[in-house]
Amino acid sequence: MLHAGERATIPTSEVWAGTVKVESVGPDEMEGALSWRSRLLEFDTTPLAEVVAEFNRFNHHQLVIADPELAARPFGGSFRADNRESFVGLLEARFDVVATRTGDRTILRRAAISDPAR
């Protein structure tokens, strides 16, 4: 039985020995863990590849990162899972990302740096 402020973690491997890990969780961490209920995605220094994977779980239109360096870039913020286009717009406007939209995919790449002062 779990009590308020606790979470249980169940291993998903096939070699599960029946071990369930129960641990206390602070209010902020609990809020983040339950944010999926409102389809709010929250990230804190999360690699962009993981952020994109979360958006892709909720959307038919898929985001694809075509640059490994961009995929590893840490990213943070709160976004509605159903507002993919706003997220892509933010990447384009603030994070030197170029998005190419084709059919049911948007390809994300780092913008070419043409100005040495950038």
Side-chain angles (χ1 to χ4, degrees):
M1 173 166 289
L2 291 176
H3 301 284
E6 293 181 334
R7 92 171 139 207
T9 306
I10 301 170
T12 58
S13 81
E14 292 178 19
V15 188
W16 180 54
T19 308
V20 176
K21 181 180 176 184
V22 177
E23 61 188 341
S24 294
V25 179
D28 290 340
E29 190 175 355
M30 184 64 75
E31 184 68 29
L34 296 175
S35 63
W36 64 270
R37 295 180 301 172
S38 64
R39 293 204 174 216
L40 183 65
L41 304 177
E42 294 188 12
F43 307 100
D44 182 27
T45 62
T46 305
L48 187 58
E50 291 180 31
V51 174
V52 163
E54 282 300 302
F55 269 96
N56 287 345
R57 286 182 54 222
F58 292 96
N59 293 281
H60 174 71
H61 187 99
Q62 299 289 283
L63 302 176
V64 177
I65 302 174
D67 179 336
E69 199 172 304
L70 179 60
R73 188 182 293 175
F75 195 81
S78 298
F79 307 94
R80 287 181 44 127
D82 62 353
N83 199 352
R84 169 194 39 80
E85 194 55 38
S86 177
F87 172 69
V88 171
L90 174 69
L91 292 176
E92 290 176 303
R94 303 280 185 184
F95 295 95
D96 293 325
V97 171
V98 174
T100 306
R101 294 151 180 89
T102 58
D104 60 352
R105 299 184 332 160
T106 296
I107 311 298
L108 304 173
R109 292 181 176 81
R110 288 181 300 151
I113 299 175
S114 57
D115 179 2
R118 279 176 79 180

